[in-house]
Amino acid sequence: GQQVKQSSPSLTVQEGGISILNCDYENDMFDYFAWYKKYPDNSPTLLISVRSNVDKREDGRLTVFLNKSGKHFSLHITASQPEDTAVYLCAAGAYQGGRALIFGTGTTVSVSP
Amino acid sequence: DPKIIQKPKYLVAVTGSEKILICEQYLGHNAMYWYRQSAKKPLEFMFSYSYQKLMDNQTASSRFQPQSSKKNHLDLQITALKPDDSATYFCASSQEPLYEQYFGPGTRLTVL
């Protein structure tokens, strides 16, 4: 089964609104959680990440929340802008796993004017 | 200047042939990785190397062989190519002991 799941394949948000993206995972050994942004035919770009000893991290308009007991992490993007339109990938990894990142299938965010 | 270089950007191969995908990083990182993304599938981890030594291999097939000739190089040799190998192959790197991985632009491989 898929170890990292993004249950919403797509999301539409109005310009200026908040995008909330969710990711669930299965492996208790994961201790690193990341969000990447990807445009079609481009490579993933790291947006923000946390280790398991942190339950929240902010960076500008981005905030990642980690709920270890619920095996869930999320990305909040405030003041959404048209250039935020992209595919967002969540990823998780375990130190013991040779740093392999396990990716979700992605959520396509569309920001409408 | 690009910090992670992958060559070529596009590659077309015939079934049964062999190809080498090139990856060089100029971030000063000591860990490098290969990932693959096939159509309609999530990005999939293949290999990780740290200080030119294999850390993890989650590729079932021995047709895929990473090669690290220098600490900032991690090439991927693929033999006996099959149409199912068609995918975009991404190289990534990170600085041990940090976890953050940065991706190259990818090589799109099509096997006919």
Side-chain angles (χ1 to χ4, degrees), chain A residues 2 31-32 36 38 41-44 46 49 51 57 89 92-95 97-105, chain B residues 9 33 35 37 41-45 48 55-56 58 90 94 96-106 108:
Chain A
Q2 199 173 333
D31 60 0
Y32 172 81
Y36 283 79
K38 189 178 184 300
D41 297 327
N42 272 282
S43 56
L46 178 63
S49 61
R51 296 297 298 267
R57 182 181 171 206
L89 305 173
Y95 184 91
R99 303 284 195 277
L101 283 180
I102 309 302
F103 282 84
T105 50
Chain B
K9 186 170 176 62
Y33 312 81
Y35 289 82
Q37 186 160 32
K41 289 186 179 179
L43 202 57
E44 175 190 14
F45 171 83
S48 60
M55 282 202 296
D56 194 6
Q58 293 189 19
F90 291 103
S94 67
E96 294 277 284
L98 301 178
Y99 220 130
E100 286 74 14
Q101 293 182 25
Y102 300 90
F103 283 75
R108 182 181 289 184

Side-chain angles (χ1 to χ4, degrees), chain A residues 6 8 20-21 24 28 38-40 42 45 64 84-85 92 103 111-112:
Chain A
Q6 294 179 256
S8 298
I20 299 175
L21 299 110
D24 297 299
D28 286 330
K38 189 178 184 300
Y39 294 111
N42 272 282
T45 300
V64 60
D84 295 335
T85 295
F103 282 84
V111 179
S112 58

Side-chain angles (χ1 to χ4, degrees), chain B residues 26-42:
Chain B
Y26 295 93
L27 294 165
H29 289 167
N30 46 32
M32 296 184 70
Y33 312 81
W34 278 102
Y35 289 82
R36 170 174 58 191
Q37 186 160 32
S38 308
K40 311 283 188 197
K41 289 186 179 179

